Amino acid sequence: MAKVLVFIDAPGDALKKGHLELLTLARSLGESVVALNGELSAAVSAAFGEYGVASVLRPSAADLDDYLVAPKAAFVAAAAQGSDAQIVLLDNSAEGREIAARAGIRLSAGVITDAVAVDADGTAHKSVLAGSYTTTCRATTAVAVITVKGNNLEPAAAAAPTTPEVLTVELPASGSSADARITARVQKVASGRPDLADARIVVAGGRGVDGDFSAVEALADALGAAVGASRAATDAGWISHDAQVGQTGKTVSPQLYISAGISGAVQQKAGMQTAKVIVAINKDAESPVFEIADLGIIGDLFDVLPQATEEIKRRKG
């Protein structure tokens, strides 16, 4: 049976849906082991047992979060070596992909990013070229490091819960001249909306909102959705850059993606092409987004979105 290592970073008081998806996937591939950076709360420990984790590995150094990704990559590599893992799974965030690349170098491992599924033999499946093709790939090395997009399988607890053993992985002291230290942090204001990368529904606005995201945000709140944006909208300063979806932003894979006022250039498609259902709203009938949309609405988003919001509220009320 293969050993599968899952890296989980700073889970807080409870595991996120994306974490549970990775644990579910890992269990389907073999014996799952977790490399945990952060506090191991009672709720998180219980969740590991519920999802069939065999052991939890924690770093000997407590200051990994004082630096950028280099110490975390070193921890993942050491955890993989110590547990004899053949497959290493990480989330597909920008940081997850960088940690995967750095850990891959340390492990002399093949690295696969943007996977939407992984088979028992380590074969990864990817959706490419704006969803036009599904490709399969597999690392030929002894260890494969794979980042997995969220919302591509339903979390499922193990049939038989476990009591994970907690072990320590020895690391060299952090703080070398090669490490970039974090000097300050600013608390992000909580919006009450789900995290963009894990959201089951995303409502995204682009150049067509002309600086006014109120209609997009109102629909998102009615649906319990996350708010996304195109690069044009974030570059214009209409919304923060952490809302950007696309090739140079976040990659999302929700059950429903609503695109409002976004042309759908290839850079945008790269970030949302694996959404299960795509609804596009644009005044321009020739917009590229309609090529991949499951449902297209040709119209002004400031007419369409408020009507949709009111109808959703009416049905919910």
Side-chain angles (χ1 to χ4, degrees), residues 2-297:
K3 282 279 191 73
V4 185
L5 180 75
V6 178
F7 175 59
I8 294 180
D9 191 18
D13 295 330
L15 295 179
K16 297 179 181 178
K17 179 175 179 289
H19 297 148
L20 299 179
E21 289 181 17
L22 288 176
L23 294 178
T24 302
L25 175 59
R27 194 177 68 248
S28 72
L29 301 176
E31 180 182 327
S32 57
V33 178
V34 167
L36 175 69
N37 176 46
E39 292 300 317
L40 180 60
S41 68
V44 169
S45 180
F48 287 153
E50 183 182 354
Y51 277 75
V53 173
S55 57
V56 178
L57 308 181
R58 306 189 68 188
S60 58
D63 62 347
L64 270 58
D65 291 324
D66 291 343
Y67 302 86
L68 294 184
V69 299
K72 294 179 183 179
F75 169 47
V76 171
Q81 291 171 331
S83 61
D84 295 322
Q86 289 90 51
I87 300 174
V88 179
L89 301 178
L90 303 92
D91 67 63
N92 199 59
S93 64
E95 184 169 291
R97 292 193 297 271
E98 184 174 354
I99 292 172
R102 289 173 176 265
I105 292 172
R106 288 175 175 269
L107 293 167
S108 298
V111 178
I112 302 171
T113 60
D114 304 321
V116 295
V118 183
D119 295 338
D121 63 356
T123 300
H125 301 262
K126 300 176 63 166
S127 180
V128 301
L129 296 177
S132 301
Y133 297 91
T134 298
T135 63
T136 58
C137 48
R138 185 169 63 181
T140 58
T141 51
V143 180
V145 181
I146 306 172
T147 68
V148 184
K149 290 183 177 181
N151 290 313
N152 279 291
L153 80 163
E154 199 63 35
T162 58
T163 303
E165 182 182 13
V166 180
L167 304 171
T168 299
V169 174
E170 291 297 326
L171 298 178
S174 297
S176 72
S177 59
D179 293 335
R181 180 184 286 272
I182 297 172
T183 58
R185 286 186 171 88
V186 177
Q187 182 74 27
K188 180 182 177 182
V189 178
S191 66
R193 301 186 182 105
D195 182 76
L196 181 59
D198 296 328
R200 294 177 64 85
I201 304 174
V202 174
V203 183
R207 198 186 303 274
V209 306
D210 197 23
D212 183 3
F213 264 80
S214 59
V216 171
E217 292 173 338
L219 178 58
D221 291 340
L223 290 169
V227 172
S230 68
R231 179 171 180 173
T234 59
D235 284 351
W238 299 338
I239 192 169
S240 64
H241 280 280
D242 60 5
Q244 183 185 335
V245 175
Q247 192 170 27
T248 55
K250 292 183 178 178
T251 300
V252 299
S253 187
Q255 299 296 309
L256 172 63
Y257 185 90
I258 300 175
S259 168
I262 302 176
S263 66
V266 67
Q267 291 87 351
Q268 169 71 193
K269 291 178 183 178
M272 43 68 82
Q273 63 194 13
T274 55
K276 300 299 185 294
V277 177
I278 299 172
V279 177
I281 304 160
N282 202 296
K283 290 191 292 186
D284 182 4
E286 302 300 319
S287 290
V289 70
F290 289 124
E291 297 174 6
I292 62 168
D294 298 285
L295 174 65
I297 302 173

